[in-house]
Amino acid sequence: MIDSLSPTKPTPKQPQAEEKLTAKVTSFELKKNDKYYAWLFLGPSILLLTVFVFFPMIRTFYLSLFLTDTFGNPTVFVGLKNYTTLLKSASYMASLKATGTYVIGVSVFTIVFGLLLAAMANQKLRGIGFFRTVFTATMGVSVSVSAVFWLFMFNPSIGILNQVIKSFGAKPIMWLTTPSWAMVAVIATTVWMHLGFTFLLFFGALQSVPKSLYDAADVAGASPRYQFWHITLPMISPTMFFVAVITLISGFKSFGLIDLMTAGGPTNATNLLVYRVYKDAFMNGNYAQASTEAIILAIIIAIITFIQFKLLAKRVNY
Amino acid sequence: MQMDTTVMNQATTKRRIGNFFKYVALIILAFIVIFPFVLGLWTSFLPSMDIAKGSLWGGHLTLHNYVTAFTQTKILRYLLNSLVISTLVMFAHLFFCSLGAYAFVFLDFKYRNLLFYIVLGTMMLPFEAEVIPNFTTVKMLGLLNHYSVMVIPFLTSAFGIFMLRQTFKQIPKDLKEAADVDGLSHWQFYWQVTLPYSKISLFTLAAYSFLGSWNQYLWPMLTTFSDHLRPVQDGLRQLQSEETFNDWGMVQASAAIVVIPTLIVLFFGQHYFKSGLNEGSVK
């Protein structure tokens, strides 16, 4: 800067300009190279996503327009007939209803309990760290471990729940073989499984609410309940919406827990959409119907994911 | 003066009573959360005979269930399988997703935005709805009942690419320009600047990918049939549905063997999880 301003030293200017020029040339050459680097860097991912995500989606849609043989090969083109048949079938409607009950039940109770845990853990008390650790515990539990723990508790003869019920002199409940109780059982297990992660999300959200807001409310003499409804809830509503969306999506995809606990039973009471796809394809060999069900499931999940994505974009921006 | 101290004492007593109820509520909640664990762990130490009779208290404790689980089932093999598969998937995600994200942020090429939206689109497509053609594909490729069938379809992740792209976008443009002037190749900039700069995001993606793979259930169940290939989730299912169904002690011991390592990791990693999460919310 000073060099270029001083008229006495004009000579160093030239090599500098030359340097800048070469730098520009190399950067231009690099830009030209970008194309090859793009292929190299992005190629593997694009290839994998094409083979294992795009192609199967299109193929599933294609299969849903046909009748299929037992090997899953298309035979007769039937257009959208598979869809109309499915949407008219009472058993599919029952599955749709069961799935709705399941995902909404899971979402609501996960939010309520997760928020309760977070609110309780977000207090200044001696030893609160212990409780915070305990509340995150279910994060380490996988689907099959949860199923083992809860199957044992729901066991009709030796399970702890029925032992407690019997000790009060009441009639034991056939948890997993009564349609409505089976739904309760899978919802309870799913909620428990989600609690650790949800707690952590809500806890993080509560901690990031500015203290000054509460201080101001205290000065104004607002009750704790008033503060919760008018400060805390609005401030954490983005997290709440986020939790709702991810529990909804994971609910629609919940396969393992259903397979382990009820296998879609009793009398199809927990035969959720995702479980139907598996059953129709790999147990009944009806690939056309299974593909149709898969497409409907994919559309539902895609819509919710789209909402989530919009939300995510909003979060990232601010 | 006198008045003041009584008022103060009243306030302290009130606070103490309030705290007492808070602790009671916390203990009840903690009990609900942790009870299924404790019960499972407890029964894993009970003799099978006692469990079958439903008598959970008062019997003597034994390690017999663990001996059975280790010697008569392949639980250690299942654990090893899951560990290997999940580690491979984790490193593959770190590598391929970061390369892909780099291309979207630092490379200039035709159809870049279009390709990015296509990748984003795949995030909306649930794998569970695509298992039918995928099963046919891996069958055609001769991958059925092979380790690779649990790894190859999951080598990359649209979510990972998206997440790392968001992180890479925060790297100052000046850094890239300076690197261009210094004549750093894309590979050098990727390796020496981009990756070290994004450590936290890479760690998050690693945890996410590892857990995702660890929890895989449907796909391994469909594509593998041999016991020695089974990952833990499907292994536990096998133990639980086999003729050993009534040996609850052994099943609980196996579940404990599976869950205890993750609980230990969680316990020591919880500080990191919490601070990582807070950092995420501040951004």
Side-chain angles (χ1 to χ4, degrees), chain A:
Chain A
M1 204 55 178
I2 295 169
D3 278 356
S4 60
L5 279 177
S6 71
T8 48
K9 286 181 183 171
T11 34
K13 232 184 161 184
Q14 228 167 349
Q16 224 179 19
E18 241 169 52
E19 241 171 59
K20 247 191 185 155
L21 197 69
T22 45
K24 252 189 188 155
V25 169
T26 33
S27 113
F28 176 72
E29 272 175 357
L30 279 174
K31 279 264 172 331
K32 236 174 70 184
N33 275 339
D34 276 11
K35 200 166 67 176
Y36 305 109
Y37 272 103
W39 274 108
L40 198 66
F41 282 15
L42 212 47
S45 288
I46 295 289
L47 179 72
L48 284 161
L49 290 176
T50 307
V51 174
F52 292 108
V53 185
F54 279 120
F55 163 71
M57 208 68 245
I58 293 161
R59 175 82 182 165
T60 306
F61 179 65
Y62 178 77
L63 286 177
S64 77
L65 303 177
F66 284 83
L67 296 178
T68 50
D69 62 16
T70 45
F71 300 103
N73 299 313
T75 50
V76 185
F77 180 80
V78 292
L80 292 174
K81 203 158 164 263
N82 285 329
Y83 290 87
T84 50
T85 317
L86 203 60
L87 293 173
K88 273 186 214 148
S89 117
S91 113
Y92 188 74
M93 281 300 139
S95 271
L96 213 57
K97 212 178 130 197
T99 310
T101 313
Y102 176 76
V103 295
I104 291 171
V106 166
S107 253
V108 168
F109 287 109
T110 306
I111 288 175
V112 170
F113 280 110
L115 191 55
L116 181 67
L117 292 182
M120 289 305 292
N122 192 31
Q123 301 182 90
K124 281 203 185 101
L125 288 172
R126 194 179 290 174
I128 197 74
F130 167 77
F131 291 102
R132 289 175 186 168
T133 307
V134 168
F135 291 167
T136 56
T138 64
M139 264 178 81
V141 192
S142 57
V143 164
S144 57
V145 173
S146 302
V148 168
F149 286 164
W150 284 80
L151 274 173
F152 183 64
M153 298 208 297
F154 286 129
N155 188 292
S157 51
I158 59 172
I160 189 86
L161 293 172
N162 275 353
Q163 287 202 28
V164 171
I165 289 173
K166 273 190 259 178
S167 75
F168 284 112
K171 236 177 95 194
I173 295 170
M174 298 293 122
W175 291 100
L176 296 168
T177 44
T178 316
S180 50
W181 282 116
M183 181 56 86
V184 172
V186 290
I187 290 177
T189 311
T190 315
V191 169
W192 181 78
M193 217 167 67
H194 287 325
L195 266 187
F197 184 61
T198 316
F199 159 73
L200 210 54
L201 284 175
F202 277 132
F203 183 67
L206 288 179
Q207 295 251 302
S208 60
V209 178
K211 291 274 174 294
S212 56
L213 288 179
Y214 293 115
D215 294 341
D218 277 335
V219 170
S223 70
R225 185 181 293 177
Y226 185 90
Q227 293 185 16
F228 179 77
W229 286 105
H230 291 89
I231 299 175
T232 314
L233 272 191
M235 287 302 284
I236 63 166
S237 60
T239 307
M240 221 147 110
F241 193 61
F242 181 68
V243 170
V245 168
I246 58 171
T247 46
L248 277 180
I249 294 174
S250 78
F252 276 109
K253 292 181 180 181
S254 184
F255 175 86
L257 202 77
I258 298 298
D259 186 49
L260 286 156
M261 292 188 72
T262 62
T267 59
N268 290 330
T270 58
N271 198 5
L272 305 185
L273 295 182
V274 63
Y275 203 70
R276 272 187 88 104
V277 174
Y278 158 76
K279 247 180 157 174
D280 279 337
F282 297 100
M283 289 167 95
N284 304 335
N286 191 344
Y287 291 93
Q289 190 179 323
S291 300
T292 313
E293 291 166 353
I295 290 296
I296 296 177
L297 179 68
I299 291 172
I300 296 174
I301 295 179
I303 291 171
I304 304 175
T305 315
F306 184 74
I307 297 171
Q308 179 199 25
F309 180 66
K310 282 278 171 204
L311 185 85
L312 213 69
K314 226 182 197 173
R315 283 190 131 205
V316 166
N317 279 341
Y318 85 78

Side-chain angles (χ1 to χ4, degrees), chain B residues 117 125 223 251:
Chain B
Y117 283 115
L125 305 177
T223 53
V251 175

Side-chain angles (χ1 to χ4, degrees), chain B residues 170-188:
Chain B
Q170 290 172 4
I171 295 174
K173 280 275 174 281
D174 308 357
L175 267 180
K176 180 68 183 124
E177 277 160 22
D180 282 348
V181 171
D182 284 349
L184 249 67
S185 73
H186 279 303
W187 176 257
Q188 284 169 322

